[in-house]
Amino acid sequence: MSDDKIAELRALINAPSPESDSSTSNLTRSARFFNKQCYDGTDFVQGGPEVGLGGNEKWLAPYPMVSLPQYDSVTLSERQQALEQAKIDNFFEYAKLPGAVIHGNVTTTDVQDANEWRYRGGLEEAEYNFGVNDADPDFAGVRLFEGTIAYLEKNFLTIVLSPDIAAKFINLLTVIYSSLADNRPGRITFEIMDPILLTFPSRKCNNVDELDFYPDFCTTHPQYEQRINQWPKASYDNDFRSDDVVGWLMTAAPTPVFNYLKPYTQHQRNFPVTNKHFKRVAGFESDDLDQAMAEDRLFILDFKDFHDETVAPRNWDNSGARLHAGIALFAIPSNGGTLKTIAIQPTQTPIGHSFWDNYNWFFLNIFGYGNQKSPASRIITPADNYWAWQMAKNCITTMTSMAAVVDHLSTHVYLGPIPVAYFRNIPNHHPLRPLLDTHLMALVTNNHTGIFEEVGVQVIGEADPYGNPYNGLLTGAIQRLSGFSSTTFLNATVRRKNHYHFFEHSTPFDRMEDPAFSQLDDYPQHDDNRLMPIIHEWVDGYLRLYYHSDQDVRDDNEVQAFLYETTHEGRVRGFPDNADSIEELVDIVARIVYWMSVNHGFTSLASFMKLGALGFYRGHPIEPTHPYSERDWLNVCPPMNVGAGLFFFSRIFTDLPEDWHRSLGKYPKGQFKHDYNVYPLLDVFQSQLQDLDDEIRAKNSERRWSYDLRMPSTITVSPWN
């Protein structure tokens, strides 16, 4: 766009030139037009195309009359032929992603049939839908682009006043539209993000409002009730400055497998927190650090496992983002209560008090960390400079957010071999298929999309769809939006994947058996997790429709082969290689359901740019006593374009389009049409889930901030996101 065109644009909206006084009447008039406080869906482009998460159901033929292989005298030849072909089509691949096992043929029919929500029979079948119709043709899911338009509308004036931004915006507006997803859930590629990075200003945000990328809808919006529910803000949105939020994030974790918080039982040389630090915190003036430790009232968050990754080479286009492997101390007051944030050390290396330490600290504050492998930092407390403390909190919360993203993708990678062994050994004739197909939905294709599917590459028809694992939808986005390179991120993911154990991490933690955690008034991550008994009862009832004795389990060569291959070929840590009884098989299958749903949850912390950005934009240490200002805090937050890109991109992986959409307990219509004996059991399962969901909602109404990660209505039934 020429300068004349930019001038024409300014004239059209009565915007002043960049050189004019910002207090002019023209600025006021244009602000009334474009700098609105909420979005009514009428300006610009009517909210964007109706595409996004959600998607359509597709039809498949009903399952055959299922049976155990040893009792199949009618279709045994057919199922054997199907298994022979399945072993050709589905195979374990060990070389494409170093350190992990993946599916070697994402184009196979088994994978593609499991890619989307598939109903069998008619849509009038007996599966209850919790009031949400997953096949509703009018339901388009979350309009990912709508938030972009709303943000542009709210901040249009500040964006258009920059000539280069105005030119980019006009030139790229149509590109953004033409590059959207092709109406397939999970098929959104970088084009939806890169135009945002290029269009929005790369400057730091000028105020907190500019860091708020959630669309605010006017009540006059034509679909207000639906739209407002699909962009839920964090429950602590208005309280994000509160020190208690950081402690809350430890007990209301962003992922179910988040287990970085531990009791603080002995002092650490690399974290020299003292009684002086402790007593400076409000509420602990009369307390004692060692006494609190002896009474099991102290907890530590230590990201030491991420140290090598936080000091690894970063990507060249990350706009200065860093991540630090910080350490934080928390405490319960002597009279009980919630977890309080006591002290934060932004890195793993403390600064000493000798002459040379002070000398080093002086030059660190001048020249910054550079590429130091052991960046030093001081301990910061709430009693220090207010803005230094706010920056220290962001240092911890950004690492918390990245750890959650690593957790989320690492569970994908950890679980990835299970469907490979499943498709290879369990044919459509087996009772496990109607039960588990929905829980395995989209795992293989989403793993492939997140890790391997490069920009603009079509999966179907490719001779070798496995491209560069460092430029997939998620791994490539990390390269652009965080303080990690995609290589560092993928290495962290594979490392974390090796941490999981099939039984240990699908056994709910009873915090009341721990002398430290039992003192917390509320620990939603664990207190709300009452799903395993419900899942177990459902699976037990279902499997006993077909297995009548332990010998039936032992004689089922298909299920035994599935278990064996998952362990020995898929290398899923902790997975059993056989089952000798109905109880053992029920336990294994219930844990598969648990892993694919409950352990797959993910909150929207990564979308919360005031705290959860995946980068900390400061290359210098934080001095506890320096008189920082809010401007200094804003400078550690992401630039506007990166914040917008990360926010809108992260929506793919967090919130469901609405409660009970493809949530735990949901099955496509006709899933059990082959055997109506299943429906009474399914009714009990869904009723128990609904009751638990109602209980958690009631509990949340009494909490300072609500927590939805353990609510059945917001848990996806499978890793389809």
Side-chain angles (χ1 to χ4, degrees):
M1 172 175 280
S2 67
D3 289 341
D4 289 342
K5 290 293 184 182
I6 295 172
E8 291 173 14
L9 175 63
R10 287 204 184 91
L12 179 65
I13 66 172
N14 292 324
S17 65
E19 295 79 16
S20 63
D21 190 339
S22 62
S23 63
T24 63
S25 59
N26 279 343
L27 180 63
T28 304
R29 286 198 297 273
S30 59
R32 284 204 305 270
F33 254 143
F34 292 97
N35 199 19
K36 293 188 287 190
Q37 296 304 306
C38 64
Y39 174 59
D40 60 16
T42 57
D43 289 342
F44 282 127
V45 286
Q46 304 287 326
E50 293 187 4
V51 297
L53 300 183
N56 303 316
E57 289 199 25
K58 294 190 177 181
W59 183 84
L60 277 180
Y63 291 100
M65 294 300 295
V66 299
S67 62
L68 301 182
Q70 60 266 34
Y71 298 127
D72 187 350
S73 59
V74 177
T75 60
L76 183 59
S77 176
E78 179 184 342
R79 72 194 291 164
Q80 287 177 341
Q81 290 177 12
L83 285 175
E84 289 174 6
Q85 186 62 46
K87 285 182 168 58
I88 296 172
D89 293 341
N90 303 278
F91 55 89
F92 299 96
E93 171 59 57
Y94 302 94
K96 301 294 185 181
L97 181 60
V101 180
I102 62 171
H103 194 294
N105 181 16
V106 74
T107 66
T108 184
T109 301
D110 289 313
V111 170
Q112 293 305 311
D113 282 348
N115 186 33
E116 296 174 302
W117 196 257
R118 305 281 183 159
Y119 68 88
R120 299 169 184 267
L123 293 178
E124 73 284 353
E125 303 297 342
E127 283 80 6
Y128 174 57
N129 65 10
F130 292 94
V132 175
N133 184 1
D134 297 285
D136 184 353
D138 295 326
F139 180 70
V142 176
R143 297 177 186 173
L144 294 173
F145 195 54
E146 181 174 47
T148 313
I149 297 298
Y151 186 81
L152 281 170
E153 183 174 314
K154 186 168 66 172
N155 297 281
F156 186 79
L157 185 62
T158 62
I159 293 173
V160 80
L161 285 179
S162 171
D164 58 331
I165 296 301
K168 291 178 182 179
F169 170 62
I170 297 301
N171 287 336
L172 285 171
L173 188 59
T174 56
V175 175
I176 297 174
Y177 269 109
S178 63
S179 302
L180 285 172
D182 56 2
N183 277 314
R184 289 178 57 207
R187 191 63 185 87
I188 299 164
T189 56
F190 290 144
E191 284 88 344
I192 197 173
M193 180 186 65
D194 284 349
I196 293 175
L197 294 177
L198 294 172
T199 303
F200 280 56
S202 56
R203 64 166 173 80
K204 295 298 177 64
C205 292
N206 290 324
N207 49 59
V208 173
D209 286 342
E210 288 188 349
L211 280 170
D212 186 357
F213 296 95
Y214 286 90
D216 295 316
F217 296 99
C218 298
T219 55
T220 55
H221 189 285
Q223 296 174 310
Y224 175 78
E225 293 298 334
Q226 180 189 28
R227 309 313 306 140
I228 197 69
N229 289 332
Q230 294 186 7
W231 292 90
K233 291 190 175 184
S235 57
Y236 44 79
D237 183 78
N238 292 328
D239 302 314
F240 79 97
R241 291 266 189 238
S242 170
D243 294 347
D244 290 345
V245 168
V246 184
W248 171 256
L249 289 172
M250 299 302 105
T251 61
T255 62
V257 291
F258 190 95
N259 62 351
Y260 304 94
L261 183 73
K262 307 290 184 184
Y264 185 72
T265 58
Q266 59 182 3
H267 297 305
Q268 299 180 186
R269 292 185 61 185
N270 69 328
F271 181 54
V273 65
T274 65
N275 203 37
K276 183 178 180 181
H277 290 118
F278 190 53
K279 287 178 171 291
R280 294 180 68 204
V281 179
F284 295 88
E285 298 90 343
S286 301
D287 212 332
D288 179 81
L289 184 67
D290 288 333
Q291 181 179 348
M293 182 167 62
E295 293 173 353
D296 297 312
R297 292 190 285 112
L298 298 184
F299 301 86
I300 189 168
L301 174 72
D302 192 344
F303 285 120
K304 60 184 177 183
D305 289 346
F306 286 92
H307 172 71
D308 289 343
E309 288 140 4
T310 57
V311 298
R314 291 173 291 142
N315 44 295
W316 64 269
D317 57 353
N318 69 352
S319 304
R322 291 175 176 266
L323 285 162
H324 293 301
I327 306 173
L329 183 71
F330 302 88
I332 301 174
S334 57
N335 59 350
T338 58
L339 206 59
K340 301 294 183 180
T341 312
I342 301 298
I344 293 171
Q345 182 178 291
T347 69
Q348 288 288 308
T349 304
I351 193 76
H353 300 285
S354 69
F355 170 80
W356 291 110
D357 289 326
N358 291 328
Y359 180 82
N360 181 42
W361 185 253
F362 174 79
F363 281 100
L364 277 177
N365 278 278
I366 295 176
F367 298 109
Y369 287 131
N371 294 319
Q372 290 190 20
K373 294 300 181 183
S374 298
S377 59
R378 293 195 189 279
I379 291 175
I380 308 163
T381 75
D384 291 312
N385 173 265
Y386 176 82
W387 293 110
W389 178 239
Q390 302 308 312
M391 288 191 285
K393 290 193 297 182
N394 275 67
C395 192
I396 281 292
T397 55
T398 54
M399 192 65 244
T400 298
S401 183
M402 176 56 88
V405 175
V406 170
D407 281 0
H408 187 73
L409 184 61
S410 63
T411 61
H412 273 262
V413 176
Y414 172 74
L415 298 170
I418 295 178
V420 186
Y422 176 79
F423 293 138
R424 284 170 56 85
N425 295 287
I426 307 296
N428 279 336
H429 307 77
H430 196 282
L432 280 184
R433 287 302 292 260
L435 177 64
L436 289 182
D437 275 3
T438 303
H439 294 292
L440 295 172
M441 186 189 78
L443 175 56
V444 173
T445 50
N446 283 350
N447 286 6
H448 175 267
T449 299
I451 298 174
F452 291 101
E453 190 166 346
E454 299 184 40
V455 179
V457 174
Q458 287 290 333
V459 175
I460 308 301
E462 287 275 320
D464 181 8
Y466 294 91
N468 178 7
Y470 305 109
N471 196 32
L473 177 66
L474 180 55
T475 55
I478 292 296
Q479 180 86 0
R480 291 164 168 80
L481 296 175
S482 85
F484 279 173
S485 69
S486 58
T487 301
T488 300
F489 172 69
L490 206 51
N491 290 343
T493 297
V494 173
R495 173 185 59 77
R496 181 66 170 170
K497 181 268 298 183
N498 294 328
H499 161 79
Y500 301 127
H501 186 281
F502 183 73
F503 283 100
E504 290 177 9
H505 290 94
S506 58
T507 301
F509 171 61
D510 184 359
R511 72 175 181 94
M512 301 312 294
E513 294 182 356
D514 186 288
F517 289 121
S518 62
Q519 297 187 64
L520 288 166
D521 281 354
D522 192 18
Y523 200 156
Q525 180 189 5
H526 299 298
D527 294 351
D528 294 356
N529 187 17
R530 294 162 45 200
L531 284 160
M532 181 54 93
I534 297 174
I535 294 172
H536 191 279
E537 180 179 337
W538 155 240
V539 172
D540 183 79
Y542 178 89
L543 291 183
R544 288 183 188 275
L545 292 175
Y546 310 102
Y547 294 92
H548 302 295
S549 69
D550 293 343
Q551 192 62 45
D552 278 347
V553 175
R554 291 190 287 268
D555 290 344
D556 185 346
N557 61 294
E558 291 171 350
V559 81
Q560 297 293 348
F562 162 55
L563 301 179
Y564 183 88
E565 283 198 5
T566 301
T567 303
H568 296 282
E569 302 296 330
R571 305 173 185 176
V572 177
R573 183 170 177 258
F575 200 90
D577 62 5
N578 70 92
D580 288 326
S581 67
I582 296 176
E583 286 77 10
E584 287 183 12
L585 183 60
V586 167
D587 188 50
I588 294 167
V589 174
R591 290 176 189 275
I592 292 175
V593 174
Y594 186 92
W595 267 106
M596 299 292 171
S597 55
V598 182
N599 265 3
H600 182 69
F602 195 20
T603 72
S604 57
L605 175 61
S607 301
F608 195 68
M609 294 299 99
K610 303 167 191 174
L611 290 178
L614 301 184
F616 183 78
Y617 291 82
R618 181 178 174 85
H620 290 70
I622 304 172
E623 170 56 62
T625 60
H626 186 80
Y628 296 110
S629 66
E630 184 179 19
R631 178 72 265 170
D632 295 301
W633 175 81
L634 287 166
N635 286 342
V636 309
C637 297
M640 180 184 283
N641 63 334
V642 176
L646 178 56
F647 173 82
F648 296 116
F649 181 78
S650 66
R651 310 309 299 171
I652 301 173
F653 304 97
T654 53
D655 297 313
L656 290 170
E658 60 182 83
D659 292 353
W660 294 117
H661 178 82
R662 298 186 185 176
S663 306
L664 180 61
K666 293 286 289 290
Y667 292 92
K669 294 290 186 178
Q671 188 75 2
F672 303 106
K673 183 178 182 178
H674 61 284
D675 188 351
Y676 279 86
N677 292 313
V678 174
Y679 287 107
L681 304 173
L682 181 61
D683 183 64
V684 172
F685 180 46
Q686 294 176 332
S687 296
Q688 290 176 330
L689 292 175
Q690 182 73 68
D691 290 344
L692 176 59
D693 200 79
D694 291 342
E695 289 179 29
I696 295 175
R697 288 178 189 272
K699 189 185 296 186
N700 278 336
S701 69
E702 301 296 324
R703 287 170 169 153
R704 182 176 180 182
W705 301 302
S706 62
Y707 183 62
D708 67 356
L709 195 67
R710 298 297 193 180
M711 292 170 56
S713 61
T714 61
I715 292 174
T716 58
V717 70
S718 73
W720 65 270
N721 66 337

